[in-house]
Amino acid sequence: MTIQWFPGHMAKARREITEKLSLVDIIFELVDARLPLSSRNPMIDEIVQHKPRLVILNKADMADSNKTALWLEYFAEKGKKAVAVNSQEGKGLNQITAAAKEVLFEKWEKMRSKGIRPRAIRAMIIGIPNVGKSTLINRIAKKNIAKTGNTPGVTKSQQWIKLNKEIELLDTPGILWPKFEDKGIGLKLAISGAIKDSILNLHEIAVYGLEFLSKEYPNRLLEIYKLDAVSENTLEAYEHIGKLRACLGAGGIVDYDKVIELIIRDIRSERFGPLTFEVPADFEVSEDKENVVEVPINQEP
Ligand code: G4P
């Protein structure tokens, strides 16, 4: 699987975010609750620097709630405030205000102590494509049609959407790319639907999906595909699933392409229920290594 980073796009996205940083008090870093670290941009820490941040685990409805709890603990241990939401149905969005206020508590207290009247907190959403940035913004905008107009001193007019009296959100999110070069991350992004199928090897994604289910959710694999485990011979599994779900071609022969599409679709559409593709423990060993990998990227002009 070879996916490029598109350095030109990356530099532009980075510039746009950097320009807007001074307009906001806090960054809402949107990640996918099913793969909270793999759906981050590895450069985000460097781009956002010391700007206060709230991590929002979106699509929590599609994730395994026990594992979401582990992730919330993980971020808390790292000193990062995080909340889990479902932007599509607007569930959990009311936690965002309280969490943002908590992150900015000291700064706001300082302003108050200097006699500055507290104003609304200004926020910007940043995240990789498909993580749900537009959905969250639209959800908030629909409920709160009144926009607050332009901000003086900004060359290009920016619209702010009022989440409530206390928070205003920049209406254009910052888009960054995930870490494509790591194959494991690429497969998780692919199985979750974050990367378009056309640039990936679908067979590899389907096999990854089956192996993941076999290891992490064997009961669901048994229930849905009547498979005990996935044997070394993937074609046997394809044959079995193809017959079970009538993925057949001419002459009643199992059509592997159809089986592959079915597996990927079933996983993405929650036929196996809510799934989480990674847990904090998966990263305990590799985090140091990850920092090393980021060094050359950080040196980008
Ligand atoms: P983006 O701006 O970050 O690129 O993402 P966008 O809002 O377009 O959301 C991508 C897809 O994810 C959309 O599905 C959207 O409905 C879905 N989505 C966003 N937030 C949530 C959530 O909290 N829960 C669930 N279940 N889904 C969510 P889509 O329009 O159907 O696109 P697709 O599924 O065809 O990719």
mmCIF file of all heavy atoms in Angstrom, residues 29-41 55-58 63 67-68 70-72 74-75 131 188 276-280 283:
data_model
loop_
_atom_site.group_PDB
_atom_site.id
_atom_site.type_symbol
_atom_site.label_atom_id
_atom_site.label_comp_id
_atom_site.label_asym_id
_atom_site.label_seq_id
_atom_site.Cartn_x
_atom_site.Cartn_y
_atom_site.Cartn_z
ATOM 1 N N GLU A 29 -9.710 19.279 18.965
ATOM 2 C CA GLU A 29 -9.083 18.271 18.103
ATOM 3 C C GLU A 29 -10.034 17.093 17.966
ATOM 4 O O GLU A 29 -10.237 16.321 18.902
ATOM 5 C CB GLU A 29 -7.739 17.813 18.696
ATOM 6 C CG GLU A 29 -7.047 16.847 17.750
ATOM 7 C CD GLU A 29 -5.815 16.178 18.345
ATOM 8 O OE1 GLU A 29 -5.403 16.525 19.465
ATOM 9 O OE2 GLU A 29 -5.273 15.293 17.660
ATOM 10 N N LEU A 30 -10.621 16.975 16.780
ATOM 11 C CA LEU A 30 -11.596 15.924 16.546
ATOM 12 C C LEU A 30 -10.881 14.650 16.091
ATOM 13 O O LEU A 30 -10.112 14.678 15.122
ATOM 14 C CB LEU A 30 -12.565 16.398 15.454
ATOM 15 C CG LEU A 30 -14.001 15.924 15.541
ATOM 16 C CD1 LEU A 30 -14.603 16.312 16.876
ATOM 17 C CD2 LEU A 30 -14.849 16.507 14.418
ATOM 18 N N VAL A 31 -11.121 13.563 16.798
ATOM 19 C CA VAL A 31 -10.566 12.274 16.385
ATOM 20 C C VAL A 31 -11.703 11.260 16.326
ATOM 21 O O VAL A 31 -12.802 11.522 16.816
ATOM 22 C CB VAL A 31 -9.450 11.775 17.351
ATOM 23 C CG1 VAL A 31 -8.263 12.713 17.356
ATOM 24 C CG2 VAL A 31 -9.970 11.551 18.769
ATOM 25 N N ASP A 32 -11.422 10.117 15.701
ATOM 26 C CA ASP A 32 -12.431 9.070 15.582
ATOM 27 C C ASP A 32 -12.338 8.188 16.830
ATOM 28 O O ASP A 32 -11.272 7.632 17.114
ATOM 29 C CB ASP A 32 -12.149 8.252 14.309
ATOM 30 C CG ASP A 32 -13.266 7.296 13.963
ATOM 31 O OD1 ASP A 32 -13.842 6.693 14.892
ATOM 32 O OD2 ASP A 32 -13.562 7.141 12.768
ATOM 33 N N ALA A 33 -13.451 8.056 17.549
ATOM 34 C CA ALA A 33 -13.438 7.295 18.800
ATOM 35 C C ALA A 33 -13.023 5.838 18.583
ATOM 36 O O ALA A 33 -12.567 5.170 19.498
ATOM 37 C CB ALA A 33 -14.819 7.341 19.458
ATOM 38 N N ARG A 34 -13.149 5.346 17.346
ATOM 39 C CA ARG A 34 -12.790 3.952 17.077
ATOM 40 C C ARG A 34 -11.287 3.762 16.908
ATOM 41 O O ARG A 34 -10.779 2.657 16.982
ATOM 42 C CB ARG A 34 -13.498 3.467 15.797
ATOM 43 C CG ARG A 34 -15.003 3.469 15.912
ATOM 44 C CD ARG A 34 -15.635 3.243 14.571
ATOM 45 N NE ARG A 34 -15.361 4.336 13.646
ATOM 46 C CZ ARG A 34 -15.594 4.289 12.338
ATOM 47 N NH1 ARG A 34 -16.099 3.200 11.802
ATOM 48 N NH2 ARG A 34 -15.340 5.324 11.575
ATOM 49 N N LEU A 35 -10.582 4.870 16.630
ATOM 50 C CA LEU A 35 -9.119 4.799 16.461
ATOM 51 C C LEU A 35 -8.524 6.156 16.835
ATOM 52 O O LEU A 35 -8.011 6.880 15.991
ATOM 53 C CB LEU A 35 -8.730 4.371 15.042
ATOM 54 C CG LEU A 35 -9.316 5.064 13.808
ATOM 55 C CD1 LEU A 35 -8.375 4.868 12.626
ATOM 56 C CD2 LEU A 35 -10.679 4.532 13.442
ATOM 57 N N PRO A 36 -8.591 6.512 18.111
ATOM 58 C CA PRO A 36 -8.280 7.880 18.529
ATOM 59 C C PRO A 36 -6.863 8.362 18.223
ATOM 60 O O PRO A 36 -6.680 9.539 17.949
ATOM 61 C CB PRO A 36 -8.508 7.852 20.049
ATOM 62 C CG PRO A 36 -9.405 6.697 20.280
ATOM 63 C CD PRO A 36 -9.050 5.687 19.236
ATOM 64 N N LEU A 37 -5.883 7.465 18.232
ATOM 65 C CA LEU A 37 -4.531 7.934 17.920
ATOM 66 C C LEU A 37 -4.224 7.816 16.429
ATOM 67 O O LEU A 37 -3.586 8.696 15.858
ATOM 68 C CB LEU A 37 -3.470 7.190 18.745
ATOM 69 C CG LEU A 37 -3.471 7.468 20.249
ATOM 70 C CD1 LEU A 37 -2.218 6.892 20.893
ATOM 71 C CD2 LEU A 37 -3.559 8.962 20.572
ATOM 72 N N SER A 38 -4.707 6.778 15.806
ATOM 73 C CA SER A 38 -4.433 6.608 14.377
ATOM 74 C C SER A 38 -5.162 7.650 13.535
ATOM 75 O O SER A 38 -4.793 7.889 12.388
ATOM 76 C CB SER A 38 -4.828 5.210 13.912
ATOM 77 O OG SER A 38 -4.018 4.264 14.556
ATOM 78 N N SER A 39 -6.224 8.250 14.081
ATOM 79 C CA SER A 39 -6.961 9.259 13.309
ATOM 80 C C SER A 39 -6.487 10.672 13.630
ATOM 81 O O SER A 39 -7.157 11.640 13.318
ATOM 82 C CB SER A 39 -8.465 9.121 13.556
ATOM 83 O OG SER A 39 -8.764 9.250 14.935
ATOM 84 N N ARG A 40 -5.318 10.770 14.251
ATOM 85 C CA ARG A 40 -4.738 12.099 14.507
ATOM 86 C C ARG A 40 -3.717 12.398 13.419
ATOM 87 O O ARG A 40 -3.170 11.500 12.817
ATOM 88 C CB ARG A 40 -3.949 12.110 15.817
ATOM 89 C CG ARG A 40 -4.717 11.839 17.039
ATOM 90 C CD ARG A 40 -3.793 11.931 18.230
ATOM 91 N NE ARG A 40 -3.526 13.309 18.560
ATOM 92 C CZ ARG A 40 -2.406 13.725 19.175
ATOM 93 N NH1 ARG A 40 -1.455 12.872 19.468
ATOM 94 N NH2 ARG A 40 -2.252 14.982 19.460
ATOM 95 N N ASN A 41 -3.449 13.659 13.282
ATOM 96 C CA ASN A 41 -2.329 14.036 12.424
ATOM 97 C C ASN A 41 -1.086 14.069 13.295
ATOM 98 O O ASN A 41 -1.078 14.700 14.347
ATOM 99 C CB ASN A 41 -2.606 15.410 11.814
ATOM 100 C CG ASN A 41 -1.410 15.907 11.044
ATOM 101 O OD1 ASN A 41 -0.426 16.353 11.623
ATOM 102 N ND2 ASN A 41 -1.474 15.806 9.744
ATOM 103 N N VAL A 55 -9.689 17.361 23.308
ATOM 104 C CA VAL A 55 -9.782 16.244 22.370
ATOM 105 C C VAL A 55 -11.243 15.782 22.354
ATOM 106 O O VAL A 55 -11.828 15.516 23.408
ATOM 107 C CB VAL A 55 -8.860 15.073 22.799
ATOM 108 C CG1 VAL A 55 -8.992 13.901 21.833
ATOM 109 C CG2 VAL A 55 -7.402 15.530 22.884
ATOM 110 N N ILE A 56 -11.816 15.734 21.166
ATOM 111 C CA ILE A 56 -13.207 15.269 21.053
ATOM 112 C C ILE A 56 -13.212 13.934 20.308
ATOM 113 O O ILE A 56 -12.820 13.852 19.145
ATOM 114 C CB ILE A 56 -14.084 16.305 20.315
ATOM 115 C CG1 ILE A 56 -14.078 17.638 21.089
ATOM 116 C CG2 ILE A 56 -15.503 15.776 20.140
ATOM 117 C CD1 ILE A 56 -14.896 18.745 20.444
ATOM 118 N N LEU A 57 -13.615 12.889 21.025
ATOM 119 C CA LEU A 57 -13.702 11.563 20.407
ATOM 120 C C LEU A 57 -15.058 11.481 19.728
ATOM 121 O O LEU A 57 -16.082 11.278 20.392
ATOM 122 C CB LEU A 57 -13.578 10.459 21.460
ATOM 123 C CG LEU A 57 -12.345 10.459 22.362
ATOM 124 C CD1 LEU A 57 -12.454 9.403 23.442
ATOM 125 C CD2 LEU A 57 -11.099 10.205 21.541
ATOM 126 N N ASN A 58 -15.082 11.676 18.424
ATOM 127 C CA ASN A 58 -16.354 11.685 17.705
ATOM 128 C C ASN A 58 -16.717 10.265 17.247
ATOM 129 O O ASN A 58 -15.890 9.373 17.291
ATOM 130 C CB ASN A 58 -16.243 12.637 16.502
ATOM 131 C CG ASN A 58 -17.596 12.911 15.884
ATOM 132 O OD1 ASN A 58 -18.597 13.049 16.601
ATOM 133 N ND2 ASN A 58 -17.652 12.980 14.564
ATOM 134 N N ALA A 63 -18.250 3.260 18.326
ATOM 135 C CA ALA A 63 -17.119 2.671 19.050
ATOM 136 C C ALA A 63 -17.584 1.809 20.219
ATOM 137 O O ALA A 63 -18.704 1.972 20.721
ATOM 138 C CB ALA A 63 -16.208 3.779 19.554
ATOM 139 N N LYS A 67 -14.077 0.477 25.558
ATOM 140 C CA LYS A 67 -12.769 0.943 25.088
ATOM 141 C C LYS A 67 -12.724 2.470 25.028
ATOM 142 O O LYS A 67 -11.672 3.068 25.243
ATOM 143 C CB LYS A 67 -12.428 0.297 23.743
ATOM 144 C CG LYS A 67 -12.226 -1.206 23.907
ATOM 145 C CD LYS A 67 -11.832 -1.926 22.657
ATOM 146 C CE LYS A 67 -11.627 -3.415 22.970
ATOM 147 N NZ LYS A 67 -11.434 -4.222 21.792
ATOM 148 N N THR A 68 -13.867 3.088 24.797
ATOM 149 C CA THR A 68 -13.899 4.559 24.823
ATOM 150 C C THR A 68 -13.554 5.027 26.241
ATOM 151 O O THR A 68 -12.817 6.003 26.420
ATOM 152 C CB THR A 68 -15.290 5.079 24.395
ATOM 153 O OG1 THR A 68 -15.525 4.634 23.060
ATOM 154 C CG2 THR A 68 -15.368 6.596 24.446
ATOM 155 N N LEU A 70 -11.591 3.538 28.282
ATOM 156 C CA LEU A 70 -10.123 3.411 28.417
ATOM 157 C C LEU A 70 -9.414 4.607 27.776
ATOM 158 O O LEU A 70 -8.432 5.126 28.299
ATOM 159 C CB LEU A 70 -9.619 2.131 27.745
ATOM 160 C CG LEU A 70 -10.038 0.797 28.332
ATOM 161 C CD1 LEU A 70 -9.459 -0.354 27.506
ATOM 162 C CD2 LEU A 70 -9.532 0.686 29.782
ATOM 163 N N TRP A 71 -9.932 5.036 26.650
ATOM 164 C CA TRP A 71 -9.316 6.173 25.958
ATOM 165 C C TRP A 71 -9.482 7.470 26.748
ATOM 166 O O TRP A 71 -8.555 8.282 26.811
ATOM 167 C CB TRP A 71 -9.885 6.320 24.540
ATOM 168 C CG TRP A 71 -9.236 5.378 23.582
ATOM 169 C CD1 TRP A 71 -9.812 4.316 22.947
ATOM 170 C CD2 TRP A 71 -7.868 5.388 23.164
ATOM 171 N NE1 TRP A 71 -8.891 3.667 22.160
ATOM 172 C CE2 TRP A 71 -7.689 4.306 22.276
ATOM 173 C CE3 TRP A 71 -6.765 6.199 23.451
ATOM 174 C CZ2 TRP A 71 -6.457 4.023 21.674
ATOM 175 C CZ3 TRP A 71 -5.546 5.921 22.859
ATOM 176 C CH2 TRP A 71 -5.404 4.850 21.983
ATOM 177 N N LEU A 72 -10.640 7.638 27.344
ATOM 178 C CA LEU A 72 -10.844 8.862 28.136
ATOM 179 C C LEU A 72 -9.865 8.882 29.308
ATOM 180 O O LEU A 72 -9.280 9.910 29.630
ATOM 181 C CB LEU A 72 -12.296 8.967 28.615
ATOM 182 C CG LEU A 72 -13.325 9.222 27.501
ATOM 183 C CD1 LEU A 72 -14.744 9.163 28.040
ATOM 184 C CD2 LEU A 72 -13.087 10.557 26.796
ATOM 185 N N TYR A 74 -6.973 7.366 29.324
ATOM 186 C CA TYR A 74 -5.643 7.569 28.734
ATOM 187 C C TYR A 74 -5.355 9.064 28.550
ATOM 188 O O TYR A 74 -4.298 9.558 28.941
ATOM 189 C CB TYR A 74 -5.591 6.837 27.383
ATOM 190 C CG TYR A 74 -4.413 7.198 26.502
ATOM 191 C CD1 TYR A 74 -3.212 6.502 26.593
ATOM 192 C CD2 TYR A 74 -4.516 8.223 25.553
ATOM 193 C CE1 TYR A 74 -2.136 6.825 25.779
ATOM 194 C CE2 TYR A 74 -3.437 8.548 24.736
ATOM 195 C CZ TYR A 74 -2.259 7.847 24.853
ATOM 196 O OH TYR A 74 -1.204 8.181 24.041
ATOM 197 N N PHE A 75 -6.308 9.769 27.961
ATOM 198 C CA PHE A 75 -6.071 11.201 27.728
ATOM 199 C C PHE A 75 -5.977 11.957 29.055
ATOM 200 O O PHE A 75 -5.153 12.854 29.202
ATOM 201 C CB PHE A 75 -7.155 11.793 26.817
ATOM 202 C CG PHE A 75 -6.994 11.394 25.369
ATOM 203 C CD1 PHE A 75 -7.904 10.555 24.747
ATOM 204 C CD2 PHE A 75 -5.904 11.849 24.636
ATOM 205 C CE1 PHE A 75 -7.741 10.184 23.416
ATOM 206 C CE2 PHE A 75 -5.718 11.481 23.307
ATOM 207 C CZ PHE A 75 -6.645 10.641 22.691
ATOM 208 N N VAL A 131 -13.630 12.699 9.677
ATOM 209 C CA VAL A 131 -13.725 12.432 11.110
ATOM 210 C C VAL A 131 -15.023 13.023 11.679
ATOM 211 O O VAL A 131 -15.431 12.689 12.797
ATOM 212 C CB VAL A 131 -12.451 12.944 11.830
ATOM 213 C CG1 VAL A 131 -12.444 14.452 11.970
ATOM 214 C CG2 VAL A 131 -12.242 12.268 13.160
ATOM 215 N N LYS A 188 -6.210 0.552 9.595
ATOM 216 C CA LYS A 188 -7.289 0.965 10.521
ATOM 217 C C LYS A 188 -8.109 2.098 9.905
ATOM 218 O O LYS A 188 -9.332 2.115 10.006
ATOM 219 C CB LYS A 188 -6.698 1.437 11.852
ATOM 220 C CG LYS A 188 -6.138 0.315 12.696
ATOM 221 C CD LYS A 188 -5.661 0.891 14.016
ATOM 222 C CE LYS A 188 -4.435 0.185 14.509
ATOM 223 N NZ LYS A 188 -3.844 0.809 15.688
ATOM 224 N N THR A 276 -14.045 -0.933 18.192
ATOM 225 C CA THR A 276 -12.909 -0.025 18.389
ATOM 226 C C THR A 276 -11.657 -0.751 17.921
ATOM 227 O O THR A 276 -11.420 -1.901 18.302
ATOM 228 C CB THR A 276 -12.802 0.395 19.869
ATOM 229 O OG1 THR A 276 -13.946 1.182 20.176
ATOM 230 C CG2 THR A 276 -11.544 1.213 20.136
ATOM 231 N N PHE A 277 -10.892 -0.084 17.073
ATOM 232 C CA PHE A 277 -9.770 -0.754 16.410
ATOM 233 C C PHE A 277 -8.447 -0.668 17.148
ATOM 234 O O PHE A 277 -7.479 -1.298 16.743
ATOM 235 C CB PHE A 277 -9.621 -0.219 14.980
ATOM 236 C CG PHE A 277 -10.863 -0.434 14.163
ATOM 237 C CD1 PHE A 277 -11.741 0.607 13.903
ATOM 238 C CD2 PHE A 277 -11.176 -1.699 13.696
ATOM 239 C CE1 PHE A 277 -12.907 0.398 13.179
ATOM 240 C CE2 PHE A 277 -12.337 -1.920 12.971
ATOM 241 C CZ PHE A 277 -13.204 -0.871 12.714
ATOM 242 N N GLU A 278 -8.401 0.148 18.192
ATOM 243 C CA GLU A 278 -7.144 0.224 18.957
ATOM 244 C C GLU A 278 -7.436 0.621 20.398
ATOM 245 O O GLU A 278 -8.441 1.279 20.677
ATOM 246 C CB GLU A 278 -6.168 1.225 18.305
ATOM 247 C CG GLU A 278 -6.675 2.664 18.255
ATOM 248 C CD GLU A 278 -5.859 3.539 17.308
ATOM 249 O OE1 GLU A 278 -5.183 3.003 16.410
ATOM 250 O OE2 GLU A 278 -5.907 4.772 17.483
ATOM 251 N N VAL A 279 -6.553 0.190 21.295
ATOM 252 C CA VAL A 279 -6.680 0.548 22.718
ATOM 253 C C VAL A 279 -5.355 1.176 23.161
ATOM 254 O O VAL A 279 -4.326 0.973 22.514
ATOM 255 C CB VAL A 279 -7.022 -0.686 23.594
ATOM 256 C CG1 VAL A 279 -8.437 -1.147 23.343
ATOM 257 C CG2 VAL A 279 -6.028 -1.809 23.380
ATOM 258 N N PRO A 280 -5.364 1.934 24.260
ATOM 259 C CA PRO A 280 -4.138 2.613 24.683
ATOM 260 C C PRO A 280 -2.946 1.660 24.812
ATOM 261 O O PRO A 280 -1.816 2.018 24.454
ATOM 262 C CB PRO A 280 -4.519 3.215 26.027
ATOM 263 C CG PRO A 280 -5.983 3.445 25.929
ATOM 264 C CD PRO A 280 -6.516 2.311 25.109
ATOM 265 N N PHE A 283 -0.237 1.200 22.233
ATOM 266 C CA PHE A 283 0.724 2.276 21.947
ATOM 267 C C PHE A 283 1.796 2.412 23.016
ATOM 268 O O PHE A 283 2.717 3.189 22.846
ATOM 269 C CB PHE A 283 -0.008 3.615 21.785
ATOM 270 C CG PHE A 283 -0.875 3.639 20.561
ATOM 271 C CD1 PHE A 283 -2.161 3.122 20.606
ATOM 272 C CD2 PHE A 283 -0.386 4.125 19.362
ATOM 273 C CE1 PHE A 283 -2.963 3.108 19.470
ATOM 274 C CE2 PHE A 283 -1.172 4.117 18.220
ATOM 275 C CZ PHE A 283 -2.466 3.605 18.281
#
